[in-house]
PDB file of all heavy atoms in Angstrom:
ATOM      1  N   GLY A  43      18.988 -16.096   6.232  1.00 98.00           N
ATOM      2  CA  GLY A  43      18.971 -14.680   6.588  1.00 98.00           C
ATOM      3  C   GLY A  43      20.352 -14.080   6.403  1.00 98.00           C
ATOM      4  O   GLY A  43      21.354 -14.714   6.742  1.00 98.00           O
ATOM      5  N   GLY A  47      26.028  -8.376  11.236  1.00 95.00           N
ATOM      6  CA  GLY A  47      26.755  -8.874  12.405  1.00 95.00           C
ATOM      7  C   GLY A  47      26.967 -10.380  12.352  1.00 95.00           C
ATOM      8  O   GLY A  47      26.092 -11.129  11.907  1.00 95.00           O
ATOM      9  N   GLU A  48      28.157 -10.809  12.795  1.00 96.00           N
ATOM     10  CA  GLU A  48      28.463 -12.254  12.857  1.00 96.00           C
ATOM     11  C   GLU A  48      27.589 -12.913  13.914  1.00 96.00           C
ATOM     12  O   GLU A  48      27.446 -12.388  15.010  1.00 96.00           O
ATOM     13  CB  GLU A  48      29.925 -12.456  13.283  1.00 96.00           C
ATOM     14  CG  GLU A  48      30.960 -12.257  12.192  1.00 96.00           C
ATOM     15  CD  GLU A  48      30.854 -13.267  11.053  1.00 96.00           C
ATOM     16  OE1 GLU A  48      30.242 -14.335  11.250  1.00 96.00           O
ATOM     17  OE2 GLU A  48      31.374 -12.958   9.955  1.00 96.00           O
ATOM     18  N   GLN A  49      27.002 -14.013  13.620  1.00 96.00           N
ATOM     19  CA  GLN A  49      26.358 -14.849  14.631  1.00 96.00           C
ATOM     20  C   GLN A  49      26.108 -16.229  14.023  1.00 96.00           C
ATOM     21  O   GLN A  49      26.095 -16.399  12.802  1.00 96.00           O
ATOM     22  CB  GLN A  49      25.053 -14.233  15.147  1.00 96.00           C
ATOM     23  CG  GLN A  49      23.991 -13.995  14.102  1.00 96.00           C
ATOM     24  CD  GLN A  49      22.774 -13.274  14.667  1.00 96.00           C
ATOM     25  OE1 GLN A  49      22.366 -13.560  15.764  1.00 96.00           O
ATOM     26  NE2 GLN A  49      22.216 -12.344  13.909  1.00 96.00           N
ATOM     27  N   SER A  50      25.928 -17.192  14.903  1.00 97.00           N
ATOM     28  CA  SER A  50      25.728 -18.565  14.421  1.00 97.00           C
ATOM     29  C   SER A  50      24.266 -18.750  14.013  1.00 97.00           C
ATOM     30  O   SER A  50      23.404 -17.937  14.372  1.00 97.00           O
ATOM     31  CB  SER A  50      26.067 -19.542  15.542  1.00 97.00           C
ATOM     32  OG  SER A  50      25.139 -19.350  16.592  1.00 97.00           O
ATOM     33  N   ASP A  51      24.005 -19.833  13.306  1.00 97.00           N
ATOM     34  CA  ASP A  51      22.612 -20.166  12.964  1.00 97.00           C
ATOM     35  C   ASP A  51      21.776 -20.254  14.240  1.00 97.00           C
ATOM     36  O   ASP A  51      20.656 -19.750  14.306  1.00 97.00           O
ATOM     37  CB  ASP A  51      22.546 -21.525  12.239  1.00 97.00           C
ATOM     38  CG  ASP A  51      22.955 -21.409  10.769  1.00 97.00           C
ATOM     39  OD1 ASP A  51      23.378 -20.301  10.361  1.00 97.00           O
ATOM     40  OD2 ASP A  51      22.864 -22.413  10.053  1.00 97.00           O
ATOM     41  N   ALA A  52      22.366 -20.872  15.276  1.00 97.00           N
ATOM     42  CA  ALA A  52      21.615 -21.078  16.522  1.00 97.00           C
ATOM     43  C   ALA A  52      21.257 -19.742  17.170  1.00 97.00           C
ATOM     44  O   ALA A  52      20.122 -19.536  17.615  1.00 97.00           O
ATOM     45  CB  ALA A  52      22.431 -21.934  17.481  1.00 97.00           C
ATOM     46  N   ASP A  53      22.220 -18.801  17.185  1.00 97.00           N
ATOM     47  CA  ASP A  53      21.941 -17.482  17.778  1.00 97.00           C
ATOM     48  C   ASP A  53      20.857 -16.762  16.978  1.00 97.00           C
ATOM     49  O   ASP A  53      19.975 -16.116  17.535  1.00 97.00           O
ATOM     50  CB  ASP A  53      23.203 -16.607  17.794  1.00 97.00           C
ATOM     51  CG  ASP A  53      24.170 -17.073  18.865  1.00 97.00           C
ATOM     52  OD1 ASP A  53      23.716 -17.817  19.768  1.00 97.00           O
ATOM     53  OD2 ASP A  53      25.357 -16.727  18.778  1.00 97.00           O
ATOM     54  N   PHE A  54      20.966 -16.882  15.673  1.00 98.00           N
ATOM     55  CA  PHE A  54      19.991 -16.194  14.827  1.00 98.00           C
ATOM     56  C   PHE A  54      18.595 -16.790  15.030  1.00 98.00           C
ATOM     57  O   PHE A  54      17.600 -16.071  15.092  1.00 98.00           O
ATOM     58  CB  PHE A  54      20.411 -16.286  13.360  1.00 98.00           C
ATOM     59  CG  PHE A  54      19.476 -15.551  12.452  1.00 98.00           C
ATOM     60  CD1 PHE A  54      19.275 -14.185  12.589  1.00 98.00           C
ATOM     61  CD2 PHE A  54      18.774 -16.216  11.456  1.00 98.00           C
ATOM     62  CE1 PHE A  54      18.397 -13.503  11.760  1.00 98.00           C
ATOM     63  CE2 PHE A  54      17.893 -15.542  10.618  1.00 98.00           C
ATOM     64  CZ  PHE A  54      17.707 -14.186  10.773  1.00 98.00           C
ATOM     65  N   ARG A  55      18.528 -18.092  15.173  1.00 98.00           N
ATOM     66  CA  ARG A  55      17.218 -18.727  15.405  1.00 98.00           C
ATOM     67  C   ARG A  55      16.609 -18.214  16.704  1.00 98.00           C
ATOM     68  O   ARG A  55      15.405 -17.994  16.783  1.00 98.00           O
ATOM     69  CB  ARG A  55      17.369 -20.250  15.469  1.00 98.00           C
ATOM     70  CG  ARG A  55      17.588 -20.828  14.092  1.00 98.00           C
ATOM     71  CD  ARG A  55      17.806 -22.315  14.129  1.00 98.00           C
ATOM     72  NE  ARG A  55      18.107 -22.780  12.786  1.00 98.00           N
ATOM     73  CZ  ARG A  55      18.671 -23.931  12.506  1.00 98.00           C
ATOM     74  NH1 ARG A  55      18.989 -24.759  13.474  1.00 98.00           N
ATOM     75  NH2 ARG A  55      18.902 -24.270  11.262  1.00 98.00           N
ATOM     76  N   ARG A  56      17.476 -18.001  17.703  1.00 98.00           N
ATOM     77  CA  ARG A  56      16.966 -17.455  18.973  1.00 98.00           C
ATOM     78  C   ARG A  56      16.380 -16.058  18.754  1.00 98.00           C
ATOM     79  O   ARG A  56      15.346 -15.700  19.288  1.00 98.00           O
ATOM     80  CB  ARG A  56      18.082 -17.393  20.022  1.00 98.00           C
ATOM     81  CG  ARG A  56      18.051 -18.615  20.950  1.00 98.00           C
ATOM     82  CD  ARG A  56      18.960 -18.434  22.155  1.00 98.00           C
ATOM     83  NE  ARG A  56      20.369 -18.427  21.787  1.00 98.00           N
ATOM     84  CZ  ARG A  56      21.072 -19.537  21.522  1.00 98.00           C
ATOM     85  NH1 ARG A  56      20.510 -20.715  21.619  1.00 98.00           N
ATOM     86  NH2 ARG A  56      22.338 -19.469  21.186  1.00 98.00           N
ATOM     87  N   LEU A  57      17.058 -15.287  17.891  1.00 97.00           N
ATOM     88  CA  LEU A  57      16.601 -13.921  17.597  1.00 97.00           C
ATOM     89  C   LEU A  57      15.228 -13.957  16.907  1.00 97.00           C
ATOM     90  O   LEU A  57      14.323 -13.178  17.221  1.00 97.00           O
ATOM     91  CB  LEU A  57      17.625 -13.286  16.651  1.00 97.00           C
ATOM     92  CG  LEU A  57      17.814 -11.796  16.715  1.00 97.00           C
ATOM     93  CD1 LEU A  57      18.689 -11.472  17.920  1.00 97.00           C
ATOM     94  CD2 LEU A  57      18.512 -11.318  15.438  1.00 97.00           C
ATOM     95  N   VAL A  58      15.096 -14.903  15.967  1.00 98.00           N
ATOM     96  CA  VAL A  58      13.814 -15.039  15.254  1.00 98.00           C
ATOM     97  C   VAL A  58      12.729 -15.469  16.244  1.00 98.00           C
ATOM     98  O   VAL A  58      11.617 -14.922  16.248  1.00 98.00           O
ATOM     99  CB  VAL A  58      13.933 -16.057  14.084  1.00 98.00           C
ATOM    100  CG1 VAL A  58      12.578 -16.308  13.444  1.00 98.00           C
ATOM    101  CG2 VAL A  58      14.932 -15.566  13.042  1.00 98.00           C
ATOM    102  N   VAL A  83      15.632 -22.244   9.180  1.00 98.00           N
ATOM    103  CA  VAL A  83      16.356 -20.975   9.142  1.00 98.00           C
ATOM    104  C   VAL A  83      17.875 -21.142   9.284  1.00 98.00           C
ATOM    105  O   VAL A  83      18.355 -21.914  10.111  1.00 98.00           O
ATOM    106  CB  VAL A  83      15.808 -20.055  10.270  1.00 98.00           C
ATOM    107  CG1 VAL A  83      16.651 -18.805  10.405  1.00 98.00           C
ATOM    108  CG2 VAL A  83      14.349 -19.696   9.996  1.00 98.00           C
ATOM    109  N   HIS A  84      18.605 -20.371   8.456  1.00 98.00           N
ATOM    110  CA  HIS A  84      20.067 -20.316   8.526  1.00 98.00           C
ATOM    111  C   HIS A  84      20.471 -18.847   8.516  1.00 98.00           C
ATOM    112  O   HIS A  84      19.654 -17.971   8.219  1.00 98.00           O
ATOM    113  CB  HIS A  84      20.696 -21.020   7.323  1.00 98.00           C
ATOM    114  CG  HIS A  84      20.231 -22.428   7.186  1.00 98.00           C
ATOM    115  ND1 HIS A  84      20.910 -23.494   7.711  1.00 98.00           N
ATOM    116  CD2 HIS A  84      19.106 -22.938   6.612  1.00 98.00           C
ATOM    117  CE1 HIS A  84      20.244 -24.610   7.465  1.00 98.00           C
ATOM    118  NE2 HIS A  84      19.136 -24.301   6.790  1.00 98.00           N
ATOM    119  N   TYR A  85      21.714 -18.596   8.779  1.00 98.00           N
ATOM    120  CA  TYR A  85      22.161 -17.201   8.814  1.00 98.00           C
ATOM    121  C   TYR A  85      23.550 -17.085   8.204  1.00 98.00           C
ATOM    122  O   TYR A  85      24.392 -17.977   8.351  1.00 98.00           O
ATOM    123  CB  TYR A  85      22.199 -16.706  10.264  1.00 98.00           C
ATOM    124  CG  TYR A  85      22.639 -15.263  10.369  1.00 98.00           C
ATOM    125  CD1 TYR A  85      21.748 -14.226  10.108  1.00 98.00           C
ATOM    126  CD2 TYR A  85      23.958 -14.938  10.708  1.00 98.00           C
ATOM    127  CE1 TYR A  85      22.159 -12.906  10.184  1.00 98.00           C
ATOM    128  CE2 TYR A  85      24.374 -13.618  10.790  1.00 98.00           C
ATOM    129  CZ  TYR A  85      23.472 -12.608  10.520  1.00 98.00           C
ATOM    130  OH  TYR A  85      23.873 -11.301  10.591  1.00 98.00           O
ATOM    131  N   HIS A  86      23.761 -15.982   7.500  1.00 98.00           N
ATOM    132  CA  HIS A  86      25.108 -15.726   6.980  1.00 98.00           C
ATOM    133  C   HIS A  86      25.392 -14.231   7.076  1.00 98.00           C
ATOM    134  O   HIS A  86      24.633 -13.424   6.539  1.00 98.00           O
ATOM    135  CB  HIS A  86      25.219 -16.198   5.528  1.00 98.00           C
ATOM    136  CG  HIS A  86      26.637 -16.263   5.070  1.00 98.00           C
ATOM    137  ND1 HIS A  86      27.370 -17.432   5.064  1.00 98.00           N
ATOM    138  CD2 HIS A  86      27.473 -15.285   4.647  1.00 98.00           C
ATOM    139  CE1 HIS A  86      28.593 -17.179   4.637  1.00 98.00           C
ATOM    140  NE2 HIS A  86      28.683 -15.883   4.371  1.00 98.00           N
ATOM    141  N   ALA A  87      26.498 -13.874   7.746  1.00 98.00           N
ATOM    142  CA  ALA A  87      26.857 -12.453   7.858  1.00 98.00           C
ATOM    143  C   ALA A  87      27.632 -12.032   6.610  1.00 98.00           C
ATOM    144  O   ALA A  87      28.537 -12.737   6.172  1.00 98.00           O
ATOM    145  CB  ALA A  87      27.708 -12.228   9.097  1.00 98.00           C
ATOM    146  N   ARG A 102      27.447 -19.854   0.088  1.00 97.00           N
ATOM    147  CA  ARG A 102      26.468 -20.434   1.030  1.00 97.00           C
ATOM    148  C   ARG A 102      25.126 -20.661   0.314  1.00 97.00           C
ATOM    149  O   ARG A 102      24.476 -21.679   0.511  1.00 97.00           O
ATOM    150  CB  ARG A 102      26.298 -19.471   2.218  1.00 97.00           C
ATOM    151  CG  ARG A 102      25.441 -19.984   3.348  1.00 97.00           C
ATOM    152  CD  ARG A 102      26.232 -20.835   4.322  1.00 97.00           C
ATOM    153  NE  ARG A 102      25.413 -21.505   5.316  1.00 97.00           N
ATOM    154  CZ  ARG A 102      25.052 -20.987   6.491  1.00 97.00           C
ATOM    155  NH1 ARG A 102      25.465 -19.791   6.822  1.00 97.00           N
ATOM    156  NH2 ARG A 102      24.292 -21.683   7.328  1.00 97.00           N
TER     157      ARG A 102
END
Side-chain angles (χ1 to χ4, degrees):
E48 281 296 340
Q49 60 185 320
S50 65
D51 282 5
D53 286 342
F54 182 61
R55 285 177 184 162
R56 263 192 292 281
L57 210 79
V58 174
V83 172
H84 304 266
Y85 181 79
H86 194 97
R102 186 85 188 272

